[in-house]
Amino acid sequence: MSAETRERVLAAAERLRYRPNATARATRIQRANAIGFVSNIANEEPNLYFLEVFNGVVRGATEAQQTTCIFTLSGWDEAPKRIPALCDGRVDGLVVLAPYLEDDSTSWLPPHTPMVTIHAGTQLQAQVNVEADDEAGGFAIVRHMFDLGYRHILCVGGPPRSKSADRRVDGFLRAHAEAGVEVAFDHVIRTWFTTQAGREVMEKWLQDHRGEPLPEAIFCGNDAIAVGCMKALNARGLSVPQDISIAGFDDTLLARSLELATVRQPLLEIGRQAVNVLMQLIEAQRVGEQYDGPRNIVLPVEIVPGRTLLGPRTARLTVP
């Protein structure tokens, strides 16, 4: 094309306010320049964990100059059909917030679309997983409780199907074993990662243990459970932390606003890291090379002391 013709084409494009067609461009370069973020948001309760991880995903995508598309599931039983259907060229890769993906997920995961999971708990074939060190977090917060003088601690963990929840409970148990402290009977219970579930399971536990010694502290599987437990305790006339102490896990906005003692996951960084790795997978596929980075990326956690762990009472109370 001559310089004169080029100038005429550009002038016409400016006059007609022409804008390049993104779909046509994607077809030509075989790249959508878009990534997908998949999560299950079946719960009606706002999920602050999801929002903070998603914030990291958006930041990572912005840094990589990628568009972010959100795809939702109403339950993980939809995943075997829903996720492969998303891999039709509309996105170059997927970040999947996947606490319930099972070991057999490899049978239906599409090999042609790069994927990074977050907190999948299982290293999926040909994929990469990014997570926080859940077991170390559970261990560290309970050991911190022991250092403050607590010995009678109730664990209200997350759901058994969640490997993250299992690992946090494992950390709770390991801290007891290493300190030589016996876990009391019926002092490990499990529930969903929601405030309502935390409240309901705590109310039932208090009802079932009326007149028995009240635990000195409660370690909860996440911050939402901790807030639910606090509501149940307050309804019984018990004050946190004067009568009983409590700690959560995640360090979400809710925990920060309440100054809750908790374990901080680097939620923003988890989302950002997932996108960074996904871009490496996409580029490796584009040039026909193998991704040679780590398959399971585990980020460290840290204790947030908060105001809900002040040390045990001099005299234990009974469950009212």
Side-chain angles (χ1 to χ4, degrees):
M1 179 185 297
S2 68
E4 181 182 355
T5 302
R6 177 181 172 80
E7 289 299 323
R8 289 170 57 192
V9 170
L10 291 175
E14 181 66 25
R15 185 174 67 257
L16 297 173
R17 297 183 179 180
Y18 169 78
R19 294 293 180 269
N21 184 284
T23 302
R25 175 182 290 177
T27 302
R28 178 173 60 84
I29 66 174
Q30 296 184 325
R31 280 283 298 273
N33 285 326
I35 62 171
F37 181 62
V38 183
S39 182
N40 171 23
I41 56 171
N43 254 311
E44 294 182 2
E45 186 175 301
N47 189 329
L48 297 179
Y49 165 81
F50 160 83
L51 292 176
E52 298 205 28
V53 171
F54 178 62
N55 189 13
V57 168
V58 170
R59 291 195 185 191
T62 301
E63 292 166 1
Q65 298 183 323
Q66 301 292 299
T67 299
T68 307
C69 304
I70 305 175
F71 303 114
T72 59
L73 305 175
S74 60
W76 284 109
D77 56 335
E78 290 184 357
K81 291 184 178 179
R82 177 79 168 138
I83 291 180
L86 300 175
C87 303
D88 57 1
R90 73 184 85 178
V91 294
D92 298 317
L94 293 174
V95 174
V96 184
L97 189 60
Y100 299 112
L101 279 180
E102 302 294 344
D103 295 317
D104 62 356
S105 302
T106 56
S107 64
W108 51 260
L109 286 174
H112 58 276
T113 301
M115 184 181 304
V116 174
T117 56
I118 293 177
H119 267 130
T122 301
Q123 185 175 321
L124 303 177
Q125 182 179 350
Q127 308 297 335
V128 178
N129 182 60
V130 182
E131 61 187 21
D133 198 337
D134 294 298
E135 199 273 347
F139 175 82
I141 191 67
V142 175
R143 186 175 61 182
H144 177 63
M145 290 177 169
F146 288 154
D147 291 342
L148 292 173
Y150 297 97
R151 289 297 180 272
H152 306 280
I153 305 171
L154 172 69
C155 175
V156 184
R161 283 188 61 205
S162 166
K163 292 181 174 62
S164 293
D166 290 343
R167 289 169 179 168
R168 294 169 195 180
V169 173
D170 288 344
F172 170 87
L173 297 174
R174 180 165 70 90
H176 279 75
E178 291 193 10
V181 178
E182 184 178 355
V183 179
F185 173 74
D186 202 19
H187 271 49
V188 177
I189 54 178
R190 309 291 290 269
T191 192
W192 294 103
F193 282 133
T194 67
T195 299
Q196 183 61 27
R199 180 169 188 164
E200 290 175 356
V201 76
M202 190 74 248
E203 286 174 345
K204 184 178 186 309
W205 193 92
L206 292 170
Q207 179 69 20
D208 292 344
H209 294 79
R210 286 180 300 172
E212 298 178 13
L214 184 72
E216 296 171 322
I218 306 172
F219 165 57
C220 298
N222 76 344
D223 297 334
I225 293 175
V227 172
C229 288
M230 290 171 67
K231 291 179 179 292
L233 292 165
N234 290 338
R236 288 273 179 151
L238 296 167
S239 178
V240 176
Q242 288 78 13
D243 297 328
I244 184 171
S245 297
I246 200 162
F249 203 110
D250 287 342
D251 192 34
T252 57
L253 176 62
L254 182 62
R256 296 193 294 273
S257 64
L258 296 175
E259 297 183 62
L260 179 72
T262 188
V263 178
R264 176 179 294 141
Q265 289 196 73
L267 299 176
L268 189 76
E269 186 58 24
I270 286 174
R272 179 184 279 150
Q273 280 261 28
V275 174
N276 290 343
V277 175
L278 181 62
M279 298 311 300
Q280 295 175 43
L281 289 170
I282 292 170
E283 180 60 18
Q285 184 186 71
R286 187 186 71 82
V287 300
E289 296 179 353
Q290 290 291 325
Y291 167 79
D292 58 2
R295 293 289 176 180
N296 196 51
I297 300 171
V298 182
L299 301 182
V301 297
E302 60 180 308
I303 295 172
V304 179
R307 67 172 186 84
T308 56
L309 284 179
L310 298 181
R313 290 173 53 93
T314 54
R316 290 181 66 186
L317 301 175
T318 58
V319 177

